[in-house]
């Protein structure tokens, strides 16, 4: 007599069909991921950066990160192409590089094929710098260099060239975006691409003078509540940065990086050097600092001390 079938046990034919269906679903998932990648993108690089899993798949967090970097690449690539015209070897400094997602993807998609130019990753955490150096070595990305420096210290470093064509800073926290701008001005950058992150300095100044401002002007209601103080401080900071760049000879465009579902720190500042310094921008910058009582704290940051001198 035949023993009763085990309900959890598949017949050989059924097991084979199940394995085929599983393999088919896995292949479809990988194909869907490949469709999201840019042409020529190295799969091995994305695995090394842990954007892709070892199986070649994306999770929600890595998909969000990749979408941000790809969207940023759409803005950077045409500027790099202009900088590379006439056989020029473009140089790019990536500030607050972290794990250097942006730098590695820029090299993979643009610099590798171009065959010239260099990327300098600047990061203050030594372990991330060492990891990036090792990865660049394994991938053969010979024209990527990494420096264990703060953004503020990098402008005076003898290890970096006297001029840099493009400066990027993706989510450089607090005043690091301002330091990246100062670096760009010092190095006579022809373009800057900035995605500012959290910024607490102006909010702290607003809190200190809140009582006086509330008695002086009803506009102080805009930062009476703590959450508004934080957001207002961030907004004012980015407005000042844009005015400073315009006063320094840059044409500035401000746009959205990606949809709000992907990142709350979403402002993208694109600055391209024209040499036309806007006097009106300098005047408005000065007026805003005065209006919000920020002159003492921020005059040096935005070049007003040099102007007075």
């Amino acid at each position: 007599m035949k023993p009763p079938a085990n309900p959890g046990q598949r017949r050989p034919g059924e097991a084979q069909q199940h394995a085929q269906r599983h393999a088919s679903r896995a292949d479809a998932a990988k194909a869907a991921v490949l469709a999201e990648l840019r042409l020529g993108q190295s799969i091995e690089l994305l695995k090394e950066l842990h954007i892709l899993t070892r199986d070649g798949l994306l999770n929600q967090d890595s998909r969000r990160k990749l979408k941000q970097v790809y969207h940023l690449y759409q803005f950077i690539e045409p500027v790099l192409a202009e900088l590379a015209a006439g056989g020029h070897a473009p140089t790019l400094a990536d500030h607050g590089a972290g794990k250097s997602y942006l730098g590695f993807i820029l090299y993979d998609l643009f610099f590798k094929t171009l065959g010239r130019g260099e990327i300098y990753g600047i990061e203050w955490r030594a372990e991330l710098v060492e990891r990036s150096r090792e990865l660049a070595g394994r991938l053969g990305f010979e024209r990527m260099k990494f420096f264990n420096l703060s953004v503020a210290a990098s402008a005076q470093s003898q290890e970096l060239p006297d001029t840099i064509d493009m400066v990027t800073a993706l989510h450089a926290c607090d005043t690091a975006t301002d330091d990246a701008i100062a670096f760009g001005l010092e190095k006579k950058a022809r373009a800057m691409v900035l995605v500012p992150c959290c910024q607490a300095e102006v909010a702290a100044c607003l809190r200190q003078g809140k009582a006086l401002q509330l008695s002086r002007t009803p506009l102080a209601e805009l930062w009476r509540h703590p959450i508004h103080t934080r957001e207002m401080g961030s907004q004012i900071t980015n407005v000042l940065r844009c005015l400073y760049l315009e006063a320094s000879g840059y044409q500035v465009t401000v746009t959205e990086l990606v949809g709000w579902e992907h990142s709350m720190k979403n402002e993208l500042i694109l600055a391209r050097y024209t040499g036309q310094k806007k006097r009106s921008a300098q005047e408005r910058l000065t007026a805003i600092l005065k209006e919000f009582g920020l002159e003492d704290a921020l005059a040096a940051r935005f070049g007003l001390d040099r102007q007075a001198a």
Side-chain angles (χ1 to χ4, degrees):
M1 185 174 177
K2 213 175 191 183
N6 183 345
Q9 184 178 8
R10 293 189 177 92
R11 295 174 183 174
E14 290 176 339
Q16 185 178 10
Q17 290 174 3
H18 175 76
Q20 289 173 344
R21 284 196 298 271
H22 181 75
S24 178
R25 285 195 296 269
D27 289 342
K30 289 179 182 178
V33 168
L34 289 174
E36 294 186 51
L37 305 184
R38 295 187 70 92
L39 186 65
Q41 180 75 77
S42 166
I43 301 298
E44 288 309 308
L45 169 64
L46 296 183
K47 287 181 179 180
E48 290 280 4
L49 294 175
H50 303 294
I51 290 176
L52 290 183
T53 66
R54 286 300 167 192
D55 295 327
L57 301 177
L58 282 165
N59 60 38
Q60 185 176 356
D61 183 61
S62 59
R63 177 176 277 110
R64 181 170 57 248
K65 189 180 295 293
L66 187 64
K67 183 179 177 67
Q68 283 186 6
V69 174
Y70 274 179
H71 195 70
L72 192 56
Y73 181 77
Q74 291 178 359
F75 293 99
I76 294 175
E77 189 273 337
V79 182
L80 282 174
E82 289 180 22
L83 294 173
H88 179 66
T91 52
L92 182 148
D94 182 29
H95 286 282
K99 295 179 181 178
S100 293
Y101 293 105
L102 177 61
F104 277 112
I105 289 176
L106 285 174
Y107 192 98
D108 191 41
L109 293 177
F110 186 85
F111 284 80
K112 185 171 67 176
T113 303
L114 184 67
R116 60 183 185 273
E118 292 186 309
I119 291 180
Y120 306 101
I122 297 166
E123 170 58 45
W124 64 272
R125 289 166 289 187
E127 68 277 10
L128 296 184
V129 172
E130 189 57 36
R131 189 183 306 170
S132 293
R133 286 172 178 166
E134 291 173 359
L135 178 55
R138 287 203 304 274
L139 296 171
F141 288 8
E142 298 175 352
R143 289 173 284 110
M144 286 192 81
K145 298 178 181 178
F146 300 92
F147 299 96
N148 183 201
L149 294 166
S150 68
V151 182
S154 62
Q156 307 307 320
S157 172
Q158 299 300 310
E159 297 179 281
L160 289 158
D162 292 336
T163 60
I164 296 284
D165 293 313
M166 178 180 284
V167 172
T168 60
L170 177 57
H171 295 158
C173 286
D174 207 13
T175 59
T177 299
D178 300 304
D179 295 333
I181 292 172
F183 175 94
L185 296 177
E186 178 72 23
K187 299 294 185 180
K188 299 178 176 59
R190 294 165 63 186
M192 299 192 214
V193 182
L194 312 166
V195 181
C197 195
C198 50
Q199 215 286 350
E201 187 179 32
V202 170
C205 293
L206 292 177
R207 278 193 294 271
Q208 286 177 358
K210 187 184 299 183
L212 177 62
Q213 292 290 336
L214 280 168
S215 65
R216 189 174 70 86
T217 171
L219 286 177
E221 291 291 336
L222 293 173
W223 65 92
R224 179 160 65 93
H225 299 288
I227 189 171
H228 294 158
T229 304
R230 185 183 66 215
E231 295 304 316
M232 190 70 177
S234 179
Q235 179 81 347
I236 292 171
T237 301
N238 289 337
V239 168
L240 292 171
R241 287 164 173 164
C242 292
L243 288 171
Y244 185 37
L245 285 164
E246 288 179 335
S248 301
Y250 288 81
Q251 181 185 49
V252 176
T253 302
V254 183
T255 188
E256 185 179 66
L257 176 58
V258 289
W260 288 108
E261 72 275 14
H262 295 285
S263 175
M264 291 299 288
K265 303 300 181 183
N266 205 38
E267 189 169 329
L268 173 61
I269 299 172
L270 304 170
R272 302 178 71 170
Y273 188 71
T274 64
Q276 298 178 350
K277 299 182 179 182
K278 288 189 177 181
R279 181 182 298 178
S280 61
Q282 184 69 63
E283 292 169 350
R284 289 169 183 172
L285 170 59
T286 304
I288 289 173
L289 290 174
K290 183 177 181 181
E291 180 69 23
F292 289 96
L294 301 171
E295 296 158 291
D296 291 342
L298 299 182
R301 175 73 49 81
F302 293 106
L304 298 187
D305 57 340
R306 290 194 296 273
Q307 183 190 38

